[in-house]
């Protein structure tokens, strides 16, 4: 993958045609521009993105890893700006949180001059919306949308591809899944993240986020259960409950950790 790519005219046309809130699109495009400029300043032109170099380039004097009740925060001290990251997080989660805090700094001048409501949304929702934007910026830092779009366009979407992208970018599968699901005009897919133990399989996260509650129909021969015992993706049928509807989907599944299985399926492959 390439850190710096130019969107094709098809990409630009798709971005215009796919329904999106205009203000949201403009703000996200501005975040992309600032991330690209910061990467160029810091000389970050390869994957995985050197988030510590970016932190230094945007004015973070020190990054500390220590026990926190939150994932991360920025502090203003006499020596300058300090980022504190929860040491209990995994290495890849810490990379994402630091990228999130970097985005806060990229937005900080606008927030100070105009306030959060001028950047994104109403008073009631402003904090959540700014956090949403900073998560977007963190994904752009670790894995730019245009890089993901090029990979998905050139190769068939599969869990093997998702795992390869996550490895090259040194980020969690959840980050890659969100980037893929955010692509405008792409095939609609869903990622289910399941906790699997000796007794149960429980869906704890769905990407893209939805109000529909998903449950997997468990059993020793289920796709999720079999995938938990394998190191490479499996393909097969899996029964699910989507709200009150029972469906059968053709899906791929792979163990992303000893206790976690991720499943990928297309909305058009259910029966």
């Amino acid at each position: 993958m390439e850190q710096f790519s130019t969107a094709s005219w098809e990409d630009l046309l798709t971005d215009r045609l796919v329904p999106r809130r205009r203000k949201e699109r403009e703000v996200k495009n501005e975040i992309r521009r600032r991330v690209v400029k910061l990467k160029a300043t810091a000389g970050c032109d390869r994957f995985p993105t050197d988030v510590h170099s970016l932190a230094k380039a945007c004015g973070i004097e020190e990054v500390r890893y220590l026990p926190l009740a939150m994932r991360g925060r920025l502090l203003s001290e006499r020596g300058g700006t300090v980022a504190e990251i929860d040491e209990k997080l995994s290495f890849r989660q810490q990379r994402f949180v630091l990228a999130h805090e970097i985005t806060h700094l990229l937005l900080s001048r606008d927030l100070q001059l105009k306030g959060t409501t001028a950047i994104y949304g109403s008073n009631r929702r402003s904090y959540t919306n700014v956090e949403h934007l900073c998560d977007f910026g963190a994904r752009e830092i670790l894995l730019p949308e245009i890089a993901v779009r090029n990979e998905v366009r050139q190769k068939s979407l599969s869990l093997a591809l998702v795992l390869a992208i996550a490895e090259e970018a040194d980020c969690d599968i959840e980050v890659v899944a969100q980037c893929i699901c955010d692509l405008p005009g792409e095939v609609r897919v869903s990622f289910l993240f399941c906790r699997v133990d000796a007794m149960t399989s429980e869906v704890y996260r769905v990407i893209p986020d939805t109000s529909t509650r998903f449950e997997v129909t468990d059993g020793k021969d289920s796709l999720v259960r079999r995938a938990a015992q394998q190191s490479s993706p499996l393909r097969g049928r899996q029964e699910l409950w989507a709200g009150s509807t029972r469906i059968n989907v053709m899906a791929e599944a792979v163990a992303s950790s000893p206790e976690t299985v991720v499943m990928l399926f297309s909305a058009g492959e259910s029966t």
Side-chain angles (χ1 to χ4, degrees):
M1 294 186 296
E2 296 182 359
Q3 284 277 11
F4 305 110
S5 300
T6 301
S8 66
W9 69 268
E10 294 97 338
D11 297 331
L12 298 175
L13 181 61
T14 298
D15 285 343
R16 287 293 181 182
L17 293 180
V18 173
R20 286 183 172 183
R21 292 196 308 174
R22 182 177 178 182
K23 187 175 183 64
E24 178 181 357
R25 182 173 65 235
E26 291 173 351
V27 173
K28 287 185 174 180
N29 285 339
E30 179 59 26
I31 291 175
R32 288 191 188 99
R33 285 191 287 268
R34 296 185 190 190
V35 168
V36 168
K37 182 178 179 180
L38 180 63
K39 286 182 176 180
T41 299
C44 293
D45 57 355
R46 297 178 181 274
F47 287 106
T49 302
D50 187 345
V51 288
H52 282 85
S53 291
L54 292 184
K56 187 173 183 179
C58 74
I60 296 176
E61 299 297 328
E62 183 182 359
V63 179
R64 300 171 184 159
Y65 297 92
L66 66 166
L68 292 177
M70 61 193 72
R71 289 166 61 86
R73 62 188 179 187
L74 292 173
L75 300 175
S76 180
E77 298 185 353
R78 181 171 298 180
T81 302
V82 173
E84 293 187 338
I85 312 295
D86 185 8
E87 67 178 13
K88 298 185 294 297
L89 299 175
S90 70
F91 175 74
R92 287 182 171 180
Q93 288 173 332
Q94 290 173 348
R95 281 172 50 79
F96 183 87
V97 172
L98 181 54
H100 176 102
E101 300 303 332
I102 289 169
T103 308
H104 269 295
L105 284 183
L106 294 181
L107 287 173
S108 63
R109 181 173 180 274
D110 300 291
L111 296 177
Q112 290 169 2
L113 291 179
K114 303 176 183 179
T116 55
T117 57
I119 300 300
Y120 202 109
S122 65
N123 281 324
R124 184 172 60 85
R125 298 181 57 195
S126 59
Y127 174 81
T128 299
N129 287 332
V130 169
E131 290 301 302
H132 170 78
L133 283 178
C134 289
D135 280 347
F136 169 78
R139 291 193 295 273
E140 279 295 301
I141 286 171
L142 297 177
L143 190 57
E145 179 184 286
I146 189 64
V148 179
R149 187 182 299 187
N150 289 340
E151 289 294 298
V152 172
R153 178 177 294 154
Q154 294 169 11
K155 304 169 185 177
S156 298
L157 178 58
S158 65
L159 278 181
L161 177 61
V162 172
L163 292 171
I165 293 174
E167 183 67 24
E168 185 173 356
D170 204 1
C171 65
D172 280 336
I173 296 175
E174 287 92 335
V175 174
V176 184
Q178 190 66 62
C179 288
I180 289 172
C181 291
D182 283 349
L183 294 177
E186 299 296 334
V187 176
R188 292 193 302 124
V189 295
S190 293
F191 292 83
L192 302 187
F193 294 84
C194 309
R195 292 190 182 93
V196 181
D197 59 29
M199 301 299 294
T200 61
S201 301
E202 177 189 9
V203 178
Y204 70 88
R205 187 175 183 187
V206 180
I207 298 176
D209 191 22
T210 174
S211 59
T212 302
R213 177 180 173 83
F214 283 89
E215 297 180 28
V216 295
T217 302
D218 206 358
K220 65 178 182 179
D221 294 326
S222 71
L223 178 63
V224 169
R225 183 67 59 182
R226 288 186 287 119
Q229 310 301 320
Q230 301 290 329
S231 58
S232 57
L234 296 179
R235 184 170 177 81
R237 287 279 174 185
Q238 173 68 53
E239 286 188 337
L240 301 170
W241 284 96
S244 60
T245 304
R246 190 169 184 170
I247 60 176
N248 189 298
V249 298
M250 179 61 70
E252 285 188 285
V254 67
S256 58
S257 74
E259 302 84 21
T260 305
V261 169
V262 56
M263 186 168 69
L264 165 65
F265 64 93
S266 170
E269 294 188 347
S270 63
T271 59

